[in-house]
């Protein structure tokens, strides 16, 4: 569900014709519908109405400051995986105490920044990390709150690159070692209050069964831990809720909550969830312009001005993104099978393959749909390409919330040593 729609043959984002945005910012440009993102956040909140729940939006899905600021003002918390994301959250006006910090490779420096900022909770992913966090907190004379991220070994039935809850994944700690882990923590961690259990089993999960399975395992572990005197107050179910890219029929927020809540009744657990894609995935499109048509004996290529440096999901995960014209009328005609590819010098550079559609003409604008999550955040300057602009739409208004990068941005931070400029001599 989203607020992109056609009005008189023309693609609109909320009440703004996308063509008008492209005329202002050029292409490629990510266009975000604020109404769509907030609607998804609200839906999740309403689905869990009546249960104590904190939604921590996963910043890594889309860290644009304006989006984060809007979510913070709507009362949303944040799930971060680096000190850089913490910096973003704080710059956007998010409250540190509503931040939870996951990730397998937190450095002492990142921990220190998070402790000083006063974040709500660390999600610890290894015993080594627990020890380092304890030492770091001790050095700062602070006590911190944390959960252990447990790996429940369930199959989330999603792409191999985005499954995180199997025992062979690098994430979390084996759930069968939970008792030993909590016992060790009680013995040896002085500065950490372990108050919860965290899980995050994968991304783009379209059914509730993996969640209920993981939840059942977590609740069993929590029962065993409580029986040994550990006070467990929070359960963080992570993110991963799937969205529609093509023909998926993901469970709705209501169905998700309806499956989860009965299991939590009477458990005296504060629930945390960390949706990323669910909030922003359908809230964004990538607008790009057709540069050339290229016919070879075997294929028809539509070459556009955006590629895997802007949106790597098709290349990385074989992800499907719908590609639609900005002007319906301009794209009538017989349908042909085409590949929509970018200008990057890689055969993996494509946005869509084997699409049956009327062949777009050079200069025509098209939109790559559902590009709000893991789009801009994964973009790069590969092939010397400035990163795309980002535009936020709210009703009838729109703002460029990140200007397109310039060529000067491409070399920012680089220096040529004086000795190289003088001409290199052998030493
Ligand atoms: C990536 C991530 C999320 C969000 O995943 P989505 O699939 O975008 O909902 C939540 N929690 C953790 C720990 C993550 O790493």
């Amino acid at each position: 569900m989203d607020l992109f729609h056609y009005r008189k043959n023309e693609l609109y984002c909320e009440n703004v014709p996308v063509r008008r945005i492209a005329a202002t910012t050029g292409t490629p440009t990510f266009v975000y519908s604020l109404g769509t993102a907030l609607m998804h956040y609200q839906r999740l909140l309403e689905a869990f109405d009546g249960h104590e729940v904190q939604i921590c939006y996963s910043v890594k899905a889309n860290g644009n400051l304006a989006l984060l600021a809007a979510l913070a003002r709507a009362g949303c918390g944040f799930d971060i995986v680096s000190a850089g994301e913490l910096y973003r959250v704080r710059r956007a006006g998010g409250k540190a105490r509503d931040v939870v910090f996951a990730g397998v490779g937190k450095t002492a420096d990142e921990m220190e920044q998070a402790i000083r900022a006063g974040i709500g909770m660390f999600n610890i992913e290894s015993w080594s990390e627990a020890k380092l966090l304890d030492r770091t907190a001790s050095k700062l004379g602070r006590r911190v709150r944390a959960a252990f991220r447990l790996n429940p070994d369930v199959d989330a039935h999603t792409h191999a690159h985005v499954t995180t809850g199997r025992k062979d994944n690098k994430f979390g700690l084996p759930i069968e070692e939970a008792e030993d882990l909590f016992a060790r923590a009680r013995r040896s961690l002085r500065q950490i209050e372990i108050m919860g259990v965290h899980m995050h089993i994968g991304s783009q999960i379209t059914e509730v069964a993996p969640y209920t399975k993981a939840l059942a395992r977590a609740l069993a572990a929590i029962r065993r831990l409580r029986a040994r005197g550990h006070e467990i107050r929070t359960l963080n179910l992570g993110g991963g809720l799937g969205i529609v890219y093509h023909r998926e029929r993901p469970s709705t927020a209501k169905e998700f909550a309806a499956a989860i809540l009965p299991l939590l009744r009477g458990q005296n657990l504060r629930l945390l969830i960390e949706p990323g894609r669910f909030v922003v995935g359908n809230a964004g499109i990538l607008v790009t312009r057709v540069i050339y048509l290229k016919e070879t004996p075997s294929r028809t290529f539509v070459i556009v001005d955006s590629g895997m440096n802007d949106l790597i999901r098709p290349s990385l995960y074989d992800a499907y993104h719908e590609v639609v014209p900005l002007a319906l009328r301009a794209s009538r005609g017989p349908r042909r099978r085409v590949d929509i590819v970018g200008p990057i010098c890689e055969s993996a550079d494509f946005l869509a393959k084997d699409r049956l559609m009327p062949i777009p003409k050079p200069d025509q604008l098209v939109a790559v749909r559902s590009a709000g999550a893991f789009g801009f955040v994964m973009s790069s300057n590969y092939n010397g390409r400035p990163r795309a602009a980002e535009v936020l739409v709210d009703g009838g208004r729109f703002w460029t919330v990140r200007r397109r990068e310039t060529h000067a941005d491409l070399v920012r931070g680089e220096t040529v040593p004086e000795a190289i400029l003088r001409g290199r001599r052998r030493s």
Side-chain angles (χ1 to χ4, degrees), residues 262-278:
L263 298 171
L264 288 175
R265 203 155 291 141
Q267 297 282 349
N268 195 22
L269 285 166
R270 191 169 78 101
L271 179 67
L272 271 76
I273 38 180
E274 306 171 331
R277 191 192 310 269
F278 180 84

Side-chain angles (χ1 to χ4, degrees), residues 58 60 79 102 149 198 200 203-204 239-241 274-277 374:
S58 185
K60 77 172 188 287
D79 158 51
R149 176 170 179 178
H198 174 236
H200 171 68
S203 197
Q204 183 58 12
L241 295 172
E274 306 171 331
R277 191 192 310 269
F374 307 106

Side-chain angles (χ1 to χ4, degrees), residues 136-385:
T136 309
S138 174
K139 197 181 87 186
L140 298 176
R142 300 273 283 268
R143 250 180 94 72
V144 298
R145 297 207 284 195
F148 279 120
R149 176 170 179 178
L150 299 181
N151 184 327
D153 192 25
V154 299
D155 187 350
H157 302 300
T158 183
H159 190 282
H161 290 180
V162 296
T163 190
T164 54
R166 298 306 302 271
K167 63 178 189 306
D168 293 336
N169 300 134
K170 68 176 177 180
F171 300 99
L173 288 141
I175 196 161
E176 62 273 15
E177 291 167 20
E179 289 143 274
D180 178 46
L181 194 62
F182 276 75
R184 248 193 296 169
R186 185 156 56 190
R187 276 200 306 276
S188 59
L189 304 178
R190 293 277 154 267
Q191 303 303 119
I192 309 178
E193 181 194 349
I194 306 282
M195 40 115 56
V197 164
H198 174 236
M199 293 191 306
H200 171 68
I201 57 174
S203 197
Q204 183 58 12
I205 302 168
T206 52
E207 14 167 5
V208 297
Y211 286 105
T212 51
K213 206 168 182 177
L215 178 55
R217 288 184 189 172
L219 290 174
I222 288 171
R223 260 194 305 280
R224 293 196 300 272
L225 292 168
R226 282 174 165 171
R228 282 168 168 70
H230 298 285
E231 216 182 298
I232 310 291
R233 283 180 283 149
T234 66
L235 175 62
N236 185 336
L237 270 184
L241 295 172
I243 63 166
V244 178
Y245 286 100
H246 188 203
R247 294 199 183 115
E248 301 88 343
R249 314 242 8 228
S251 309
T252 62
K254 260 204 185 110
E255 287 162 353
F256 175 65
I260 299 295
L261 285 179
L263 298 171
L264 288 175
R265 203 155 291 141
Q267 297 282 349
N268 195 22
L269 285 166
R270 191 169 78 101
L271 179 67
L272 271 76
I273 38 180
E274 306 171 331
R277 191 192 310 269
F278 180 84
V279 175
V280 292
N282 291 141
I285 58 172
L286 171 61
V287 183
T288 178
R289 186 182 296 275
V290 177
I291 315 173
Y292 299 115
L293 292 180
K294 179 169 175 174
E295 309 242 13
T296 73
S298 58
R299 308 197 76 86
T300 301
F301 295 102
V302 176
I303 301 170
V304 297
D305 68 357
S306 174
M308 67 187 287
N309 67 303
D310 298 307
L311 182 67
I312 203 173
R313 296 192 69 258
S315 314
L316 191 57
Y317 310 123
D318 236 336
Y320 183 102
H321 285 268
E322 207 183 327
V323 179
V324 298
L326 258 54
L328 272 184
R329 196 174 289 126
S331 73
R332 284 196 188 130
R335 301 202 303 168
R336 289 272 299 279
R337 206 165 282 286
V338 302
D339 289 352
I340 298 164
V341 302
I344 303 292
C345 301
E346 296 282 345
S347 291
D349 177 32
F350 64 92
L351 296 173
K353 267 195 176 155
D354 281 324
R355 289 302 160 80
L356 200 54
M357 60 192 286
I359 299 184
K361 292 168 196 56
D363 245 7
Q364 209 174 305
L365 294 166
V366 297
V368 182
R369 302 208 40 165
S370 304
F374 307 106
F376 183 88
V377 283
M378 287 181 129
S379 66
S380 77
N381 293 124
Y382 187 41
N383 276 209
R385 301 182 60 82

